[in-house]
PDB file of all heavy atoms in Angstrom:
ATOM      1  N   SER H  88      15.507  37.327 -74.718  1.00 98.00           N
ATOM      2  CA  SER H  88      14.437  38.089 -74.094  1.00 98.00           C
ATOM      3  C   SER H  88      14.507  39.524 -74.594  1.00 98.00           C
ATOM      4  O   SER H  88      15.534  39.966 -75.126  1.00 98.00           O
ATOM      5  CB  SER H  88      14.554  38.045 -72.572  1.00 98.00           C
ATOM      6  OG  SER H  88      15.772  38.614 -72.146  1.00 98.00           O
ATOM      7  N   VAL H  89      13.403  40.227 -74.446  1.00 98.00           N
ATOM      8  CA  VAL H  89      13.373  41.615 -74.897  1.00 98.00           C
ATOM      9  C   VAL H  89      13.051  42.524 -73.725  1.00 98.00           C
ATOM     10  O   VAL H  89      12.468  42.112 -72.728  1.00 98.00           O
ATOM     11  CB  VAL H  89      12.348  41.834 -76.031  1.00 98.00           C
ATOM     12  CG1 VAL H  89      12.715  41.002 -77.245  1.00 98.00           C
ATOM     13  CG2 VAL H  89      10.927  41.555 -75.547  1.00 98.00           C
ATOM     14  N   ASN H  90      13.452  43.775 -73.877  1.00 97.00           N
ATOM     15  CA  ASN H  90      13.053  44.847 -72.969  1.00 97.00           C
ATOM     16  C   ASN H  90      12.271  45.843 -73.815  1.00 97.00           C
ATOM     17  O   ASN H  90      12.851  46.604 -74.592  1.00 97.00           O
ATOM     18  CB  ASN H  90      14.274  45.505 -72.326  1.00 97.00           C
ATOM     19  CG  ASN H  90      13.865  46.580 -71.324  1.00 97.00           C
ATOM     20  OD1 ASN H  90      12.675  46.788 -71.041  1.00 97.00           O
ATOM     21  ND2 ASN H  90      14.832  47.267 -70.773  1.00 97.00           N
ATOM     22  N   PHE H  91      10.954  45.791 -73.683  1.00 97.00           N
ATOM     23  CA  PHE H  91      10.068  46.607 -74.492  1.00 97.00           C
ATOM     24  C   PHE H  91       9.610  47.793 -73.666  1.00 97.00           C
ATOM     25  O   PHE H  91       8.939  47.633 -72.642  1.00 97.00           O
ATOM     26  CB  PHE H  91       8.872  45.761 -74.940  1.00 97.00           C
ATOM     27  CG  PHE H  91       7.793  46.526 -75.665  1.00 97.00           C
ATOM     28  CD1 PHE H  91       8.119  47.439 -76.659  1.00 97.00           C
ATOM     29  CD2 PHE H  91       6.463  46.311 -75.368  1.00 97.00           C
ATOM     30  CE1 PHE H  91       7.121  48.131 -77.337  1.00 97.00           C
ATOM     31  CE2 PHE H  91       5.462  46.992 -76.032  1.00 97.00           C
ATOM     32  CZ  PHE H  91       5.786  47.910 -77.020  1.00 97.00           C
ATOM     33  N   GLN H  92       9.964  48.981 -74.107  1.00 96.00           N
ATOM     34  CA  GLN H  92       9.569  50.219 -73.456  1.00 96.00           C
ATOM     35  C   GLN H  92       8.713  51.004 -74.441  1.00 96.00           C
ATOM     36  O   GLN H  92       9.227  51.735 -75.297  1.00 96.00           O
ATOM     37  CB  GLN H  92      10.810  51.044 -73.055  1.00 96.00           C
ATOM     38  CG  GLN H  92      11.765  50.332 -72.132  1.00 96.00           C
ATOM     39  CD  GLN H  92      11.189  50.161 -70.736  1.00 96.00           C
ATOM     40  OE1 GLN H  92      10.427  50.994 -70.253  1.00 96.00           O
ATOM     41  NE2 GLN H  92      11.539  49.053 -70.089  1.00 96.00           N
ATOM     42  N   LYS H  93       7.381  50.829 -74.335  1.00 94.00           N
ATOM     43  CA  LYS H  93       6.483  51.363 -75.353  1.00 94.00           C
ATOM     44  C   LYS H  93       6.522  52.882 -75.421  1.00 94.00           C
ATOM     45  O   LYS H  93       6.540  53.466 -76.509  1.00 94.00           O
ATOM     46  CB  LYS H  93       5.049  50.890 -75.098  1.00 94.00           C
ATOM     47  CG  LYS H  93       4.090  51.207 -76.234  1.00 94.00           C
ATOM     48  CD  LYS H  93       2.745  50.558 -76.018  1.00 94.00           C
ATOM     49  CE  LYS H  93       1.831  50.809 -77.203  1.00 94.00           C
ATOM     50  NZ  LYS H  93       0.498  50.141 -77.034  1.00 94.00           N
ATOM     51  N   ALA H  94       6.517  53.540 -74.281  1.00 93.00           N
ATOM     52  CA  ALA H  94       6.503  55.010 -74.284  1.00 93.00           C
ATOM     53  C   ALA H  94       7.767  55.565 -74.926  1.00 93.00           C
ATOM     54  O   ALA H  94       7.734  56.567 -75.635  1.00 93.00           O
ATOM     55  CB  ALA H  94       6.354  55.531 -72.863  1.00 93.00           C
ATOM     56  N   ALA H  95       8.864  54.909 -74.674  1.00 95.00           N
ATOM     57  CA  ALA H  95      10.146  55.341 -75.241  1.00 95.00           C
ATOM     58  C   ALA H  95      10.362  54.799 -76.641  1.00 95.00           C
ATOM     59  O   ALA H  95      11.360  55.148 -77.293  1.00 95.00           O
ATOM     60  CB  ALA H  95      11.291  54.910 -74.328  1.00 95.00           C
ATOM     61  N   LYS H  96       9.478  53.945 -77.120  1.00 95.00           N
ATOM     62  CA  LYS H  96       9.601  53.283 -78.423  1.00 95.00           C
ATOM     63  C   LYS H  96      10.972  52.616 -78.534  1.00 95.00           C
ATOM     64  O   LYS H  96      11.734  52.830 -79.494  1.00 95.00           O
ATOM     65  CB  LYS H  96       9.360  54.265 -79.565  1.00 95.00           C
ATOM     66  CG  LYS H  96       7.907  54.747 -79.649  1.00 95.00           C
ATOM     67  CD  LYS H  96       7.665  55.549 -80.912  1.00 95.00           C
ATOM     68  CE  LYS H  96       6.200  55.841 -81.125  1.00 95.00           C
ATOM     69  NZ  LYS H  96       5.594  56.673 -80.071  1.00 95.00           N
ATOM     70  N   SER H  97      11.269  51.814 -77.520  1.00 97.00           N
ATOM     71  CA  SER H  97      12.529  51.101 -77.459  1.00 97.00           C
ATOM     72  C   SER H  97      12.269  49.604 -77.344  1.00 97.00           C
ATOM     73  O   SER H  97      11.342  49.177 -76.637  1.00 97.00           O
ATOM     74  CB  SER H  97      13.327  51.593 -76.249  1.00 97.00           C
ATOM     75  OG  SER H  97      14.450  50.790 -76.014  1.00 97.00           O
ATOM     76  N   PHE H  98      13.106  48.806 -78.006  1.00 97.00           N
ATOM     77  CA  PHE H  98      12.869  47.356 -78.076  1.00 97.00           C
ATOM     78  C   PHE H  98      14.229  46.664 -78.176  1.00 97.00           C
ATOM     79  O   PHE H  98      14.722  46.390 -79.268  1.00 97.00           O
ATOM     80  CB  PHE H  98      12.002  47.058 -79.301  1.00 97.00           C
ATOM     81  CG  PHE H  98      11.619  45.616 -79.470  1.00 97.00           C
ATOM     82  CD1 PHE H  98      10.875  44.952 -78.521  1.00 97.00           C
ATOM     83  CD2 PHE H  98      11.978  44.929 -80.623  1.00 97.00           C
ATOM     84  CE1 PHE H  98      10.505  43.623 -78.683  1.00 97.00           C
ATOM     85  CE2 PHE H  98      11.613  43.597 -80.805  1.00 97.00           C
ATOM     86  CZ  PHE H  98      10.882  42.948 -79.835  1.00 97.00           C
ATOM     87  N   SER H  99      14.845  46.383 -77.039  1.00 98.00           N
ATOM     88  CA  SER H  99      16.175  45.794 -77.055  1.00 98.00           C
ATOM     89  C   SER H  99      16.095  44.281 -76.887  1.00 98.00           C
ATOM     90  O   SER H  99      15.143  43.742 -76.299  1.00 98.00           O
ATOM     91  CB  SER H  99      17.054  46.405 -75.960  1.00 98.00           C
ATOM     92  OG  SER H  99      16.484  46.171 -74.690  1.00 98.00           O
ATOM     93  N   LEU H 100      17.109  43.600 -77.407  1.00 98.00           N
ATOM     94  CA  LEU H 100      17.206  42.143 -77.358  1.00 98.00           C
ATOM     95  C   LEU H 100      18.362  41.749 -76.455  1.00 98.00           C
ATOM     96  O   LEU H 100      19.486  42.215 -76.669  1.00 98.00           O
ATOM     97  CB  LEU H 100      17.439  41.565 -78.758  1.00 98.00           C
ATOM     98  CG  LEU H 100      17.706  40.058 -78.836  1.00 98.00           C
ATOM     99  CD1 LEU H 100      16.448  39.265 -78.497  1.00 98.00           C
ATOM    100  CD2 LEU H 100      18.213  39.674 -80.229  1.00 98.00           C
ATOM    101  N   LYS H 101      18.081  40.896 -75.490  1.00 98.00           N
ATOM    102  CA  LYS H 101      19.131  40.376 -74.628  1.00 98.00           C
ATOM    103  C   LYS H 101      19.345  38.909 -74.945  1.00 98.00           C
ATOM    104  O   LYS H 101      18.396  38.113 -74.967  1.00 98.00           O
ATOM    105  CB  LYS H 101      18.767  40.547 -73.152  1.00 98.00           C
ATOM    106  CG  LYS H 101      19.891  40.116 -72.214  1.00 98.00           C
ATOM    107  CD  LYS H 101      19.621  40.467 -70.757  1.00 98.00           C
ATOM    108  CE  LYS H 101      18.716  39.487 -70.080  1.00 98.00           C
ATOM    109  NZ  LYS H 101      18.638  39.733 -68.607  1.00 98.00           N
ATOM    110  N   ILE H 102      20.603  38.566 -75.195  1.00 98.00           N
ATOM    111  CA  ILE H 102      20.986  37.178 -75.434  1.00 98.00           C
ATOM    112  C   ILE H 102      21.822  36.728 -74.251  1.00 98.00           C
ATOM    113  O   ILE H 102      22.895  37.288 -73.991  1.00 98.00           O
ATOM    114  CB  ILE H 102      21.781  37.023 -76.746  1.00 98.00           C
ATOM    115  CG1 ILE H 102      21.012  37.633 -77.917  1.00 98.00           C
ATOM    116  CG2 ILE H 102      22.088  35.558 -77.002  1.00 98.00           C
ATOM    117  CD1 ILE H 102      21.787  37.644 -79.239  1.00 98.00           C
ATOM    118  N   SER H 103      21.331  35.752 -73.537  1.00 98.00           N
ATOM    119  CA  SER H 103      22.042  35.215 -72.381  1.00 98.00           C
ATOM    120  C   SER H 103      22.816  33.964 -72.772  1.00 98.00           C
ATOM    121  O   SER H 103      22.445  33.276 -73.728  1.00 98.00           O
ATOM    122  CB  SER H 103      21.050  34.867 -71.271  1.00 98.00           C
ATOM    123  OG  SER H 103      20.273  35.977 -70.915  1.00 98.00           O
ATOM    124  N   ASP H 104      23.907  33.698 -72.052  1.00 98.00           N
ATOM    125  CA  ASP H 104      24.696  32.488 -72.309  1.00 98.00           C
ATOM    126  C   ASP H 104      25.004  32.362 -73.806  1.00 98.00           C
ATOM    127  O   ASP H 104      24.692  31.355 -74.445  1.00 98.00           O
ATOM    128  CB  ASP H 104      23.926  31.263 -71.799  1.00 98.00           C
ATOM    129  CG  ASP H 104      24.712  29.968 -71.917  1.00 98.00           C
ATOM    130  OD1 ASP H 104      25.959  30.034 -71.906  1.00 98.00           O
ATOM    131  OD2 ASP H 104      24.083  28.894 -72.041  1.00 98.00           O
ATOM    132  N   SER H 105      25.617  33.394 -74.353  1.00 98.00           N
ATOM    133  CA  SER H 105      25.873  33.445 -75.796  1.00 98.00           C
ATOM    134  C   SER H 105      26.612  32.211 -76.289  1.00 98.00           C
ATOM    135  O   SER H 105      27.540  31.708 -75.624  1.00 98.00           O
ATOM    136  CB  SER H 105      26.691  34.696 -76.131  1.00 98.00           C
ATOM    137  OG  SER H 105      25.977  35.861 -75.815  1.00 98.00           O
ATOM    138  N   GLN H 106      26.215  31.748 -77.455  1.00 98.00           N
ATOM    139  CA  GLN H 106      26.835  30.571 -78.077  1.00 98.00           C
ATOM    140  C   GLN H 106      27.433  30.953 -79.419  1.00 98.00           C
ATOM    141  O   GLN H 106      27.009  31.926 -80.042  1.00 98.00           O
ATOM    142  CB  GLN H 106      25.783  29.479 -78.246  1.00 98.00           C
ATOM    143  CG  GLN H 106      25.156  29.044 -76.929  1.00 98.00           C
ATOM    144  CD  GLN H 106      24.044  28.025 -77.108  1.00 98.00           C
ATOM    145  OE1 GLN H 106      23.705  27.623 -78.220  1.00 98.00           O
ATOM    146  NE2 GLN H 106      23.470  27.596 -75.992  1.00 98.00           N
ATOM    147  N   LEU H 107      28.409  30.165 -79.871  1.00 97.00           N
ATOM    148  CA  LEU H 107      29.068  30.468 -81.144  1.00 97.00           C
ATOM    149  C   LEU H 107      28.046  30.534 -82.276  1.00 97.00           C
ATOM    150  O   LEU H 107      28.181  31.329 -83.214  1.00 97.00           O
ATOM    151  CB  LEU H 107      30.138  29.418 -81.448  1.00 97.00           C
ATOM    152  CG  LEU H 107      31.302  29.355 -80.464  1.00 97.00           C
ATOM    153  CD1 LEU H 107      32.272  28.243 -80.864  1.00 97.00           C
ATOM    154  CD2 LEU H 107      32.034  30.683 -80.369  1.00 97.00           C
ATOM    155  N   GLY H 108      27.019  29.731 -82.206  1.00 96.00           N
ATOM    156  CA  GLY H 108      25.984  29.723 -83.243  1.00 96.00           C
ATOM    157  C   GLY H 108      25.112  30.963 -83.252  1.00 96.00           C
ATOM    158  O   GLY H 108      24.291  31.130 -84.160  1.00 96.00           O
ATOM    159  N   ASP H 109      25.280  31.819 -82.258  1.00 97.00           N
ATOM    160  CA  ASP H 109      24.531  33.078 -82.250  1.00 97.00           C
ATOM    161  C   ASP H 109      25.172  34.125 -83.149  1.00 97.00           C
ATOM    162  O   ASP H 109      24.587  35.183 -83.397  1.00 97.00           O
ATOM    163  CB  ASP H 109      24.436  33.641 -80.818  1.00 97.00           C
ATOM    164  CG  ASP H 109      23.631  32.756 -79.886  1.00 97.00           C
ATOM    165  OD1 ASP H 109      22.752  32.015 -80.373  1.00 97.00           O
ATOM    166  OD2 ASP H 109      23.892  32.805 -78.661  1.00 97.00           O
ATOM    167  N   THR H 110      26.371  33.844 -83.636  1.00 97.00           N
ATOM    168  CA  THR H 110      27.039  34.777 -84.549  1.00 97.00           C
ATOM    169  C   THR H 110      26.196  34.975 -85.795  1.00 97.00           C
ATOM    170  O   THR H 110      25.875  34.004 -86.497  1.00 97.00           O
ATOM    171  CB  THR H 110      28.432  34.240 -84.929  1.00 97.00           C
ATOM    172  OG1 THR H 110      29.262  34.239 -83.764  1.00 97.00           O
ATOM    173  CG2 THR H 110      29.078  35.092 -86.014  1.00 97.00           C
ATOM    174  N   ALA H 111      25.811  36.224 -86.075  1.00 97.00           N
ATOM    175  CA  ALA H 111      24.904  36.512 -87.184  1.00 97.00           C
ATOM    176  C   ALA H 111      24.631  38.010 -87.229  1.00 97.00           C
ATOM    177  O   ALA H 111      25.039  38.761 -86.337  1.00 97.00           O
ATOM    178  CB  ALA H 111      23.575  35.774 -87.002  1.00 97.00           C
ATOM    179  N   MET H 112      23.925  38.420 -88.282  1.00 97.00           N
ATOM    180  CA  MET H 112      23.314  39.745 -88.307  1.00 97.00           C
ATOM    181  C   MET H 112      21.966  39.649 -87.601  1.00 97.00           C
ATOM    182  O   MET H 112      21.217  38.691 -87.808  1.00 97.00           O
ATOM    183  CB  MET H 112      23.090  40.213 -89.736  1.00 97.00           C
ATOM    184  CG  MET H 112      24.340  40.649 -90.468  1.00 97.00           C
ATOM    185  SD  MET H 112      25.045  42.161 -89.812  1.00 97.00           S
ATOM    186  CE  MET H 112      23.784  43.359 -90.251  1.00 97.00           C
ATOM    187  N   TYR H 113      21.674  40.645 -86.792  1.00 98.00           N
ATOM    188  CA  TYR H 113      20.388  40.702 -86.113  1.00 98.00           C
ATOM    189  C   TYR H 113      19.644  41.961 -86.568  1.00 98.00           C
ATOM    190  O   TYR H 113      20.177  43.066 -86.503  1.00 98.00           O
ATOM    191  CB  TYR H 113      20.575  40.710 -84.591  1.00 98.00           C
ATOM    192  CG  TYR H 113      20.977  39.353 -84.071  1.00 98.00           C
ATOM    193  CD1 TYR H 113      22.299  38.934 -84.133  1.00 98.00           C
ATOM    194  CD2 TYR H 113      20.029  38.484 -83.545  1.00 98.00           C
ATOM    195  CE1 TYR H 113      22.664  37.682 -83.686  1.00 98.00           C
ATOM    196  CE2 TYR H 113      20.388  37.226 -83.088  1.00 98.00           C
ATOM    197  CZ  TYR H 113      21.707  36.835 -83.172  1.00 98.00           C
ATOM    198  OH  TYR H 113      22.073  35.589 -82.720  1.00 98.00           O
ATOM    199  N   PHE H 114      18.426  41.746 -87.008  1.00 98.00           N
ATOM    200  CA  PHE H 114      17.611  42.851 -87.495  1.00 98.00           C
ATOM    201  C   PHE H 114      16.397  43.037 -86.594  1.00 98.00           C
ATOM    202  O   PHE H 114      15.674  42.079 -86.294  1.00 98.00           O
ATOM    203  CB  PHE H 114      17.134  42.587 -88.924  1.00 98.00           C
ATOM    204  CG  PHE H 114      18.229  42.602 -89.941  1.00 98.00           C
ATOM    205  CD1 PHE H 114      18.831  41.413 -90.349  1.00 98.00           C
ATOM    206  CD2 PHE H 114      18.671  43.794 -90.495  1.00 98.00           C
ATOM    207  CE1 PHE H 114      19.844  41.413 -91.293  1.00 98.00           C
ATOM    208  CE2 PHE H 114      19.680  43.798 -91.436  1.00 98.00           C
ATOM    209  CZ  PHE H 114      20.269  42.615 -91.834  1.00 98.00           C
ATOM    210  N   CYS H 115      16.183  44.268 -86.229  1.00 98.00           N
ATOM    211  CA  CYS H 115      14.965  44.665 -85.527  1.00 98.00           C
ATOM    212  C   CYS H 115      13.953  45.092 -86.592  1.00 98.00           C
ATOM    213  O   CYS H 115      14.323  45.695 -87.605  1.00 98.00           O
ATOM    214  CB  CYS H 115      15.293  45.811 -84.583  1.00 98.00           C
ATOM    215  SG  CYS H 115      13.909  46.482 -83.653  1.00 98.00           S
ATOM    216  N   ALA H 116      12.698  44.803 -86.366  1.00 97.00           N
ATOM    217  CA  ALA H 116      11.678  45.169 -87.349  1.00 97.00           C
ATOM    218  C   ALA H 116      10.354  45.420 -86.647  1.00 97.00           C
ATOM    219  O   ALA H 116      10.100  44.900 -85.553  1.00 97.00           O
ATOM    220  CB  ALA H 116      11.508  44.050 -88.386  1.00 97.00           C
ATOM    221  N   ARG H 117       9.522  46.200 -87.285  1.00 96.00           N
ATOM    222  CA  ARG H 117       8.152  46.337 -86.820  1.00 96.00           C
ATOM    223  C   ARG H 117       7.232  46.177 -88.025  1.00 96.00           C
ATOM    224  O   ARG H 117       7.626  46.402 -89.175  1.00 96.00           O
ATOM    225  CB  ARG H 117       7.905  47.684 -86.148  1.00 96.00           C
ATOM    226  CG  ARG H 117       7.928  48.885 -87.046  1.00 96.00           C
ATOM    227  CD  ARG H 117       7.150  50.042 -86.421  1.00 96.00           C
ATOM    228  NE  ARG H 117       7.148  51.190 -87.313  1.00 96.00           N
ATOM    229  CZ  ARG H 117       6.267  51.356 -88.295  1.00 96.00           C
ATOM    230  NH1 ARG H 117       5.324  50.467 -88.506  1.00 96.00           N
ATOM    231  NH2 ARG H 117       6.323  52.440 -89.044  1.00 96.00           N
ATOM    232  N   ASN H 118       6.031  45.766 -87.767  1.00 93.00           N
ATOM    233  CA  ASN H 118       5.097  45.592 -88.870  1.00 93.00           C
ATOM    234  C   ASN H 118       4.246  46.848 -89.040  1.00 93.00           C
ATOM    235  O   ASN H 118       4.287  47.775 -88.228  1.00 93.00           O
ATOM    236  CB  ASN H 118       4.207  44.371 -88.643  1.00 93.00           C
ATOM    237  CG  ASN H 118       3.116  44.645 -87.624  1.00 93.00           C
ATOM    238  OD1 ASN H 118       3.339  45.338 -86.615  1.00 93.00           O
ATOM    239  ND2 ASN H 118       1.927  44.134 -87.873  1.00 93.00           N
ATOM    240  N   TYR H 119       3.486  46.864 -90.116  1.00 88.00           N
ATOM    241  CA  TYR H 119       2.536  47.944 -90.336  1.00 88.00           C
ATOM    242  C   TYR H 119       1.348  47.391 -91.095  1.00 88.00           C
ATOM    243  O   TYR H 119       1.428  46.323 -91.714  1.00 88.00           O
ATOM    244  CB  TYR H 119       3.180  49.105 -91.115  1.00 88.00           C
ATOM    245  CG  TYR H 119       3.594  48.775 -92.528  1.00 88.00           C
ATOM    246  CD1 TYR H 119       2.733  48.954 -93.608  1.00 88.00           C
ATOM    247  CD2 TYR H 119       4.861  48.265 -92.783  1.00 88.00           C
ATOM    248  CE1 TYR H 119       3.118  48.635 -94.891  1.00 88.00           C
ATOM    249  CE2 TYR H 119       5.256  47.936 -94.061  1.00 88.00           C
ATOM    250  CZ  TYR H 119       4.387  48.139 -95.116  1.00 88.00           C
ATOM    251  OH  TYR H 119       4.767  47.811 -96.392  1.00 88.00           O
ATOM    252  N   GLY H 120       0.252  48.083 -91.017  1.00 83.00           N
ATOM    253  CA  GLY H 120      -0.922  47.687 -91.780  1.00 83.00           C
ATOM    254  C   GLY H 120      -1.596  46.420 -91.299  1.00 83.00           C
ATOM    255  O   GLY H 120      -2.416  45.848 -92.022  1.00 83.00           O
ATOM    256  N   GLY H 121      -1.260  45.960 -90.108  1.00 81.00           N
ATOM    257  CA  GLY H 121      -1.989  44.824 -89.538  1.00 81.00           C
ATOM    258  C   GLY H 121      -1.423  43.457 -89.862  1.00 81.00           C
ATOM    259  O   GLY H 121      -1.792  42.466 -89.224  1.00 81.00           O
ATOM    260  N   SER H 122      -0.553  43.343 -90.861  1.00 85.00           N
ATOM    261  CA  SER H 122       0.007  42.038 -91.209  1.00 85.00           C
ATOM    262  C   SER H 122       1.419  41.904 -90.650  1.00 85.00           C
ATOM    263  O   SER H 122       2.198  42.845 -90.690  1.00 85.00           O
ATOM    264  CB  SER H 122       0.065  41.863 -92.722  1.00 85.00           C
ATOM    265  OG  SER H 122       0.853  40.733 -93.063  1.00 85.00           O
TER     266      SER H 122
END
Side-chain angles (χ1 to χ4, degrees):
Chain H
S88 61
V89 298
N90 183 4
F91 174 45
Q92 302 290 328
K93 190 172 184 178
K96 291 189 171 63
S97 170
F98 183 61
S99 60
L100 174 70
K101 185 172 81 171
I102 306 174
S103 304
D104 185 26
S105 297
Q106 300 176 359
L107 296 178
D109 295 334
T110 294
M112 285 292 293
Y113 286 81
F114 292 96
C115 178
R117 69 157 181 85
N118 76 322
Y119 65 91
S122 168

